[in-house]
Amino acid sequence: MTSFLLNLHSGFSPAAGGSGDDSWSMQVQAEVRGMDGYPVVLPCTFSHPQHSQHSLLQVMWRLGHGSAAAILYRCTSRPGAAACEPNPQQDQRYRLEGNPREHDLSLRINGATLQDNGRYYCRVEVQGREHVSFEDKMGTRLRVEAPPKILAMSVEGGGPAGFTAVCRVQGSPLPDVQWLGPDDPLEGSSLAPSQALGSPGRYRTISQLRDVQPGQRYTCSASNPLGREQAALFVLRPRPPPPAAGPPPALLLLLAAALGTKLVLLVGVGFLGHIKTFSMTSV
């Protein structure tokens, strides 16, 4: 797969923050953009005095700064060794793309996800007669982007309050969500304001459509600069109750995603004044 890299500034930016010899320097990229599901590389290069060429080097990458920082990658480069040796418990999603002996500490993240968004910092330590360290203080901002994805659709409510269709969407940049009727976009008082979903609210949202009527088709359309996804919701009219007491009608809703041959059924039980949230299963 392809690595997606974007340098938002001309060239690299020098990063200050070392201890020891003044001839140290480090260069990082201010911002890198990646695509959800693809690998991405965070560039980091450095220079150091020649006497450290034959010293043991420790390399570390962190997500975040200060006490809340998480160490994502750590490895040791020994003199004469062909590669930098990671810790035995190292998450295999991270690996050093560069060679510390060639002054390259670039980090590769395999299968980047939206949860990888954040600021990353690289650090190198030279262990020899003098313990010298150098760290990037500016950091590299990683922005992982993703086309819209409809995570789930459901129908809630019932009784005098009527039904409400709910569409849960994910994407980065955060998608715009629009509801479509049989012929035209639906606007006005029937639309509830979109809601962000907690801490991942930067890339997840909920859109609600009030006053959903049986016998109608409603389409949730999510779009951002990377694409569009739609899913159609069919609300079936409930059958009249049988003369004698018996189980209520089972099939109330049919949901079909407009994605080729993918078909999703939304199944609920009961029609006794209200309907709970339904779940989706693919067939």
Side-chain angles (χ1 to χ4, degrees):
M1 288 188 286
T2 304
S3 296
F4 290 82
L5 297 176
L6 176 61
N7 184 5
L8 299 187
H9 303 274
S10 57
F12 287 81
S13 301
S19 61
D21 198 305
D22 291 337
S23 61
W24 280 81
S25 67
M26 182 173 282
Q27 293 180 316
V28 298
Q29 197 159 310
E31 181 168 294
V32 171
R33 288 180 182 170
M35 286 292 293
D36 182 44
Y38 288 86
V40 65
V41 175
L42 307 180
C44 178
T45 59
F46 70 100
S47 62
H48 57 73
Q50 290 300 315
H51 68 74
S52 63
Q53 285 282 5
H54 305 290
S55 303
L56 183 144
L57 302 177
Q58 293 273 0
V59 178
M60 184 176 69
W61 276 87
R62 295 181 293 110
L63 173 59
H65 209 283
S67 59
I71 299 177
L72 301 178
Y73 185 86
R74 192 197 300 267
C75 69
T76 302
S77 178
R78 306 181 186 279
C84 195
E85 301 174 10
N87 290 343
Q89 297 81 20
Q90 176 60 52
D91 185 344
Q92 298 302 307
R93 212 163 63 90
Y94 306 97
R95 83 173 192 211
L96 205 64
E97 184 79 357
N99 184 346
R101 296 295 163 180
E102 298 176 357
H103 308 168
D104 190 348
L105 309 178
S106 300
L107 180 71
R108 178 187 178 96
I109 304 176
N110 289 315
T113 68
L114 294 174
Q115 287 74 22
D116 292 321
N117 280 292
R119 191 169 296 276
Y120 293 74
Y121 300 85
C122 62
R123 176 185 179 92
V124 61
E125 298 180 1
V126 180
Q127 300 182 359
R129 290 176 300 175
E130 297 180 1
H131 186 94
V132 183
S133 64
F134 203 82
E135 183 177 36
D136 157 35
K137 296 298 184 182
M138 185 186 68
T140 296
R141 172 69 174 171
L142 174 61
R143 296 183 184 273
V144 179
E145 299 181 339
K149 181 179 181 181
I150 296 178
L151 302 175
M153 290 187 71
S154 60
V155 171
E156 300 172 354
F163 299 108
T164 298
V166 181
C167 185
R168 291 171 171 82
V169 178
Q170 173 177 286
S172 179
L174 191 65
D176 293 323
V177 181
Q178 186 179 40
W179 287 92
L180 308 175
D183 302 312
D184 303 305
L186 298 174
E187 300 177 354
S189 60
S190 62
L191 292 177
S194 296
Q195 307 171 17
L197 290 179
S199 58
R202 290 175 298 172
Y203 46 84
R204 286 190 181 182
T205 186
I206 296 177
S207 180
Q208 297 180 336
L209 178 66
R210 303 189 185 102
D211 300 325
V212 172
Q213 300 298 318
Q216 298 295 323
R217 165 183 170 145
Y218 302 93
T219 299
C220 175
S221 177
S223 62
N224 70 9
L226 300 177
R228 174 185 297 179
E229 180 161 291
Q230 293 183 338
L233 176 70
F234 296 86
V235 184
L236 303 184
R237 298 183 183 278
R239 291 174 296 177
L251 183 61
L252 297 179
L253 304 167
L254 176 64
L255 179 70
L259 297 173
T261 59
K262 181 179 178 181
L263 179 67
V264 180
L265 293 179
L266 192 59
V267 179
V269 293
F271 189 68
L272 301 177
H274 70 280
I275 297 181
K276 297 183 181 294
T277 301
F278 300 93
S279 60
M280 296 198 309
T281 56
S282 298
V283 295

